[in-house]
Amino acid sequence: MNYSIRHRTTYDYAEPVTVSHHAARVEPRTSPIQRRAAFDLRIAPTPALRKMRTDYFGNRVCFFSIQEIHQCLEITSESVVTVTASHGLSTRSRPSGRR
């Protein structure tokens, strides 16, 4: 089954901000039952610095820095994820074994 996912985070600051640093963990992971078919990350205002890496747990992290005066920050991620059925999952409500 295919899923289209859109996630948006908006920061509206009470006062203008001159510099801000962020780490966004919004990219879906690939696993034996989940495949990331597409991913796009948009940040406004445009970051002066933007760097991707994988953290210790296998999550993709986007580090970015806004180095201009801003009063609003918007982060939007759009993904397409394909999930396949796992035949190893049980639908029983209680574990098997002795009572």
Side-chain angles (χ1 to χ4, degrees):
M1 180 165 290
N2 293 327
Y3 293 92
S4 293
I5 304 160
R6 177 181 291 157
H7 175 91
R8 182 173 52 215
T9 300
T10 304
Y11 295 93
D12 289 312
Y13 302 107
E15 299 292 328
V17 176
T18 55
V19 175
S20 61
H21 304 285
H22 306 271
R25 290 172 174 85
V26 293
E27 185 173 344
R29 292 179 65 170
T30 296
S31 72
I33 63 169
Q34 175 177 289
R35 184 178 64 83
R36 181 186 59 250
F39 175 73
D40 182 48
L41 180 62
R42 293 185 307 280
I43 303 166
T46 302
L49 173 69
R50 181 174 173 162
K51 194 180 239 188
M52 296 291 294
R53 75 171 187 89
T54 302
D55 71 11
Y56 177 82
F57 300 101
N59 301 303
R60 296 289 293 158
V61 184
C62 179
F63 293 98
F64 63 95
S65 177
I66 310 295
Q67 299 178 3
E68 63 183 71
I69 296 175
H70 59 288
Q71 202 159 343
C72 179
L73 170 63
E74 186 170 281
I75 304 158
T76 304
S77 67
E78 293 188 16
S79 307
V80 177
V81 175
T82 302
V83 177
T84 57
S86 175
H87 299 290
L89 296 176
S90 174
T91 58
R92 294 183 299 205
S93 61
R94 62 181 171 216
S96 62
R98 290 191 221 180
R99 292 184 150 198

